[in-house]
Amino acid sequence: MPKGYWVSVYRIISDPEKLAAYNKLAGPAVRAGGGRLLARDGRVAVYDAGIAERTILIEFDSFEQAVAARESAAYQEALVALSDGVERDFRIVEGID
């Protein structure tokens, strides 16, 4: 079964305090949903229209598990804390194998 991935690229962080509150809630919510953090805030080489801001990659055992984690009550609470504190591109993508 193909894995699922959360890919989140932050364009603008306008309120670091909201991001910190989100981080406190999102980490446990992601782990409870079966997510494994693969990359966060490491070195990045940016090309084309890329943005060198915060980038997160999280792996789940399946696409369905990734969607369920995003829709969970715990993660929804994290999103409320984040509210308008950032502008980001968030996607859930299905792996090839």
Side-chain angles (χ1 to χ4, degrees):
M1 174 182 309
K3 294 186 178 185
Y5 297 90
W6 284 13
V7 182
S8 185
V9 179
Y10 289 67
R11 292 185 177 107
I12 299 169
I13 298 173
S14 57
D15 191 330
E17 290 179 12
K18 287 183 179 180
L19 179 58
Y22 163 83
N23 287 336
K24 285 184 181 180
L25 298 169
V30 167
R31 287 188 296 278
R36 294 172 298 282
L37 184 63
L38 298 181
R40 177 187 64 212
D41 299 334
R43 293 176 10 167
V44 61
V46 178
Y47 302 97
D48 302 326
I51 298 170
E53 191 59 79
R54 180 182 174 99
T55 302
I56 311 292
L57 178 62
I58 299 173
E59 179 183 66
F60 292 84
D61 288 336
S62 70
F63 180 81
E64 291 77 16
Q65 185 181 41
V67 170
R70 170 66 171 74
E71 295 174 356
S72 72
Y75 190 73
Q76 293 304 306
E77 182 181 352
L79 288 176
V80 169
L82 183 60
S83 76
D84 62 350
V86 303
E87 179 184 321
R88 67 182 182 164
D89 178 350
F90 181 94
R91 301 161 189 244
I92 300 175
V93 298
E94 184 176 50
I96 296 172
D97 313 308

